[in-house]
Amino acid sequence: MTESQRPQYDFDTILERHGSTSVKWHEVVEQMGPGAKDVVPLSVADMEFKPAPEIVAALVESATHDVFGYDYATEDYFDALVSWMKRRHNFDVDPAWVSLSDGVMPAINTALRSVTRPGDKVIIQRPVYYPFTSAAERNGLTILDNELKLTDEGRYEIDFDDLEAKAADPRCTAMILCNPHNPVGRVWTPEELKRIGDICIKRRVRLLCDEIHADFEYPGHKVTMFSTLGPEYADIVFEFTAPTKTFNLAGLLCSNAIIPNPHLKRRYDVAADNIGGLTVSHFGLVACQAAYNHAEPWLDALQQVIARNLGVVRDFAARTDGIRLIEPEGTYLAWLDCRGLGFATPEDLCTFLRTKARVWFDEGTMFGESGSFFERVNLACPTCLLERVLNNIETALNERG
Ligand SMILES: Cc1ncc(COP(=O)(O)O)c(C=O)c1O
């Protein structure tokens, strides 16, 4: 497609989301009061963009003509998913491997219940998406933190000796891996993934691989879907993906658990039945099928906006003493190391950003102790909104002296 044939999408308009059902905009006013309407939340990982028009058209068509009884996912949905995984990830998915649910986190909770017993131990890699912790705790599991190591060059790496030792614990039965990693932005290489897989195979640890950010990678990096490493790796893994993250449809509730091993798949489905069954909504299926089939150009255009926004944050960090960007390889999140700003506590940093700079990021401590004095910035917003936020921070830092 040439430049002139490419559809035009609006990634520039700042949407008014006060008074909408948006959790993050609501949270700001709820916690800081009605005077905080100027505080911009670049926190929760959804986007400040309207969905692709191709998806909206499919929803309108369905709303106009369909009947909303009990639904099942048709062959057309699975065809769309299979084709997407092949096109974007060179991943040959057999529809028989797929169980649908209303979200990746319900699916991860279900998978945990299917392969662990209360009292077992589960490995996670902090700083990491905080619901992994609550999922483990809710299911009576003890967390083993294979903490990621930040090198002097600003890259997070896996401590494989520590991982090996933790996986050797006889009560360790599962690991939750995030690829690409939220919040540190690593896209794990095939070599790293194989090393993780080899340890899990040797120690009989089941791998829950959260690939919800898999459609977001920066040039020079390629997300590897875990099962594509080979049959012995596919045999131990639960893979979780969701078009809702890729296409900003989180409120429509639709995600895929891909489980190639039939024995694990059966256990997962039984665990889902035991809590009354996981399901997806009619509009979730309609929207996600349309997204996979028709909204790829929107995603490609969005990636350019996110790359541009990352450049804006990179420039900001380069000219701001005390702030360092941890260069992401994937996701639409940026992880800022603010340890050099010299705040006494993470709470002081948070208060400064919210009250003086009028911005609400996700605080690093939410992702674990090792996230202290880091901030997670959501890049999926109009560039002018991001620039406004960063200008506010610069002004507030100058006033602080
Ligand atoms: C790594 C990761 N997993 C899961 C989720 C939540 O997925 P869902 O809304 O499908 O439960 C998110 C949302 O931000 C995420 O970043």
Side-chain angles (χ1 to χ4, degrees):
M1 204 182 290
T2 67
E3 205 53 47
S4 61
Q5 290 169 315
R6 217 177 278 283
Q8 294 296 307
Y9 299 111
D10 179 6
F11 294 112
D12 296 321
T13 302
I14 297 178
L15 305 176
E16 174 54 62
R17 293 182 82 198
H18 288 296
S20 74
T21 51
S22 162
V23 165
K24 63 182 163 196
W25 289 88
H26 174 67
E27 183 181 32
V28 170
V29 176
E30 196 183 47
Q31 292 206 24
M32 293 181 68
K37 286 213 164 137
D38 62 324
V39 175
V40 178
L42 297 184
S43 48
V44 177
D46 57 22
M47 307 179 197
E48 295 306 309
F49 300 126
K50 288 195 175 170
E54 296 84 349
I55 298 173
V56 175
L59 287 169
V60 169
E61 170 74 15
S62 170
T64 312
H65 297 293
D66 288 348
V67 172
F68 310 122
Y70 292 109
D71 270 344
Y72 72 102
T74 62
E75 231 176 274
D76 289 344
Y77 176 82
F78 289 106
D79 286 350
L81 166 67
V82 166
S83 167
W84 180 266
M85 287 298 165
K86 183 67 186 167
R87 274 194 329 272
R88 302 285 295 200
H89 299 289
N90 200 22
F91 182 14
D92 290 301
V93 174
D94 180 339
W97 300 345
V98 182
S99 292
L100 298 180
S101 81
D102 54 343
V104 162
M105 282 321 300
I108 287 181
N109 275 273
T110 305
L112 274 181
R113 265 193 294 279
S114 75
V115 291
T116 65
R117 279 178 302 184
D120 281 0
K121 299 179 183 175
V122 58
I123 297 171
I124 62 174
Q125 297 175 307
R126 289 182 179 137
V128 76
Y129 182 59
Y130 43 91
F132 291 180
T133 296
S134 33
E137 288 173 353
R138 236 183 261 128
N139 288 292
L141 305 170
T142 300
I143 287 170
L144 299 174
D145 180 16
N146 173 229
E147 192 183 304
L148 297 177
K149 297 294 168 207
L150 181 57
T151 65
D152 291 342
E153 291 72 43
R155 182 179 163 87
Y156 278 89
E157 290 187 348
I158 294 171
D159 180 345
F160 280 102
D161 291 338
D162 180 68
L163 179 60
E164 173 86 60
K166 293 205 156 94
D169 185 325
R171 288 309 301 265
C172 178
T173 46
M175 170 172 181
I176 313 177
L177 176 70
C178 199
N179 183 37
H181 189 282
N182 170 8
V184 309
R186 276 297 316 277
V187 168
W188 304 115
T189 63
E191 293 69 33
E192 287 169 316
L193 292 173
K194 279 189 175 165
R195 278 184 83 177
I196 296 169
D198 290 340
I199 291 171
C200 288
I201 291 167
K202 181 168 156 200
R203 300 298 178 185
R204 299 185 58 78
V205 170
R206 303 299 187 195
L207 189 62
L208 280 56
C209 197
D210 183 338
E211 293 166 345
I212 196 168
H213 292 276
D215 292 316
F216 296 97
E217 62 205 3
Y218 289 102
H221 300 280
K222 186 82 203 88
V223 174
T224 304
M225 307 300 277
F226 195 83
S227 288
T228 64
L229 293 169
E232 67 275 38
Y233 299 100
D235 213 38
I236 60 158
V237 76
F238 298 77
E239 290 174 272
F240 305 98
T241 73
T244 51
K245 182 67 64 193
T246 308
F247 294 98
N248 200 28
L249 305 169
L252 291 180
L253 308 179
C254 179
S255 82
N256 315 297
I258 304 174
I259 315 166
N261 177 328
H263 172 64
L264 290 183
K265 167 87 163 49
R266 210 164 31 249
R267 282 171 71 172
Y268 174 91
D269 288 339
V270 167
D273 283 347
N274 286 344
I275 54 162
L278 292 173
T279 189
V280 285
S281 76
H282 173 86
F283 285 114
L285 285 169
V286 167
C288 290
Q289 186 177 315
Y292 283 143
N293 285 340
H294 306 300
E296 208 163 352
W298 180 91
L299 177 62
D300 291 339
L302 168 73
Q303 309 262 26
Q304 295 184 15
V305 177
I306 290 170
R308 182 174 74 208
N309 287 353
L310 178 61
V312 169
V313 173
R314 189 182 294 122
D315 292 346
F316 161 78
R319 64 175 182 269
T320 308
D321 281 345
I323 298 185
R324 174 167 73 152
L325 169 69
I326 304 300
E327 192 67 40
E329 300 169 348
T331 77
Y332 57 77
L333 308 164
W335 187 235
L336 289 182
D337 178 354
C338 302
R339 288 174 299 177
L341 289 177
F343 283 92
T345 66
E347 293 72 32
D348 289 347
L349 170 62
C350 172
T351 304
F352 169 81
L353 288 170
R354 290 182 188 176
T355 61
K356 304 288 186 215
R358 316 300 285 170
V359 58
W360 184 300
F361 295 140
D362 267 345
E363 295 305 305
T365 45
M366 294 164 75
F367 304 88
E369 266 301 302
S370 47
S372 298
F373 299 105
F374 285 73
E375 299 287 335
R376 195 191 74 172
V377 183
N378 185 333
L379 300 172
C381 65
T383 304
C384 58
L385 184 64
L386 180 65
E387 285 170 341
R388 188 209 295 169
V389 161
L390 299 179
N391 284 340
N392 283 354
I393 297 176
E394 278 187 295
T395 308
L397 284 172
N398 287 337
E399 284 169 1
R400 177 175 171 248

